[in-house]
Amino acid sequence: MGSHRAHDINAKASPMYRQLKAMFSSHSPRSQTRSSSIATVPATDNQSAVIKRVESCYLQAEQQLNRRFSRPEVNFKLRGKSAGTAHLQLNKLRFNATLLEENPQAFLDQVVAHEICHLLAHQLFGRVKPHGKEWQSLMVNIFGLRPDTTHNLDISSVEGKTFTYYCNCGPVHLTIRRHNKIRRQQTQYRCRRCKQTLTAASTTTSQA
């Protein structure tokens, strides 16, 4: 789950959800073994709460869809500005320990379910768009959540040093990795909105 402000998406996926329900409701739950999440030993109470929330979400999904899902590996080793990420092929969830400690309720309310829906969408539908209609349907119909694609948490503690560039829209803060690529003339970056090439400011700022 990335760090930019969330987009307001109106998911209209009820027909898809009804199709999923029909697919599994006429059969007894699949006999796939349901194992506990393979989790790093929690270092804090908030990490313990996230692990419990993962299990709660899976139980809720199993009850709604009348099928079982294998539990993912869970760890808290994610760094950077993302709150969480799902590794589809590995059936693994990684969460940002720093952002979790600063925003525990947001993780329990939104982030955990957001990442789990990525894994569920992959297991149910195969290769689909990361935040496509399948993912949106699961967010809305299983967990009753607005399908925001990114978070709007305060990331100042994990953002690190940034370098200020400008376009017609105003200042844009680039990471040191992107800044160095520009300095080495390896690439240029353009604003997604105004399409103007970003130009460096005369001074740099640190957001740490």
Side-chain angles (χ1 to χ4, degrees):
M1 191 173 188
S3 63
H4 299 292
R5 185 165 295 276
H7 301 290
D8 187 6
I9 298 177
N10 295 317
K12 297 181 180 179
S14 294
M16 176 176 294
Y17 180 72
R18 288 197 297 269
Q19 182 180 358
L20 270 178
K21 291 275 286 184
M23 186 185 304
F24 297 111
S25 62
S26 60
H27 301 84
S28 59
R30 293 188 177 183
S31 59
Q32 183 179 9
T33 301
R34 184 177 65 198
S35 59
S36 299
S37 300
I38 305 171
T40 301
V41 177
T44 68
D45 289 343
N46 288 326
Q47 290 184 11
S48 296
V50 164
I51 292 171
K52 291 178 181 177
R53 176 61 176 154
V54 168
E55 177 62 18
S56 173
C57 285
Y58 270 92
L59 291 174
Q60 188 172 343
E62 289 177 339
Q63 182 178 21
Q64 292 281 341
L65 296 175
N66 196 40
R67 64 157 285 176
R68 293 174 181 169
F69 296 96
S70 60
R71 300 302 192 257
E73 177 184 344
V74 179
N75 69 51
F76 300 90
K77 299 178 181 179
L78 184 63
R79 303 199 174 199
K81 297 181 286 186
S82 293
T85 188
H87 299 269
L88 307 182
Q89 302 296 337
L90 299 175
N91 197 28
K92 178 191 293 187
L93 297 173
R94 291 197 302 153
F95 296 106
N96 190 312
T98 300
L99 292 180
L100 167 61
E101 294 307 312
E102 295 173 351
N103 309 273
Q105 198 58 51
F107 271 71
L108 298 179
D109 291 345
Q110 184 82 13
V111 175
V112 172
H114 176 116
E115 301 305 335
I116 286 175
C117 282
H118 284 304
L119 295 183
L120 296 180
H122 175 70
Q123 293 173 26
L124 290 166
F125 303 103
R127 188 175 181 179
V128 294
K129 291 181 179 180
H131 297 108
K133 58 185 180 180
E134 298 85 1
W135 175 85
Q136 293 178 35
S137 174
L138 296 172
M139 284 285 285
V140 172
N141 293 291
I142 292 181
F143 300 114
L145 296 174
R146 192 176 68 180
D148 294 334
T149 60
T150 51
H151 71 71
N152 59 356
L153 305 177
D154 181 1
I155 58 171
S156 57
S157 64
V158 295
E159 191 170 26
K161 188 175 184 179
T162 63
F163 296 81
T164 304
Y165 284 70
Y166 286 91
C167 66
N168 288 334
C169 300
V172 179
H173 301 293
L174 296 186
T175 63
I176 189 169
R177 181 178 64 84
R178 291 189 171 185
H179 170 71
N180 286 338
K181 280 190 171 184
I182 293 174
R183 293 195 62 185
R184 297 184 191 117
Q185 298 183 342
Q186 294 176 336
T187 190
Q188 290 182 322
Y189 294 98
R190 290 183 174 86
C191 174
R192 292 182 179 178
R193 287 176 290 183
C194 70
K195 308 301 181 183
Q196 184 184 29
T197 299
L198 302 182
T199 57
S202 57
T203 59
T204 59
T205 60
S206 174
Q207 301 296 314

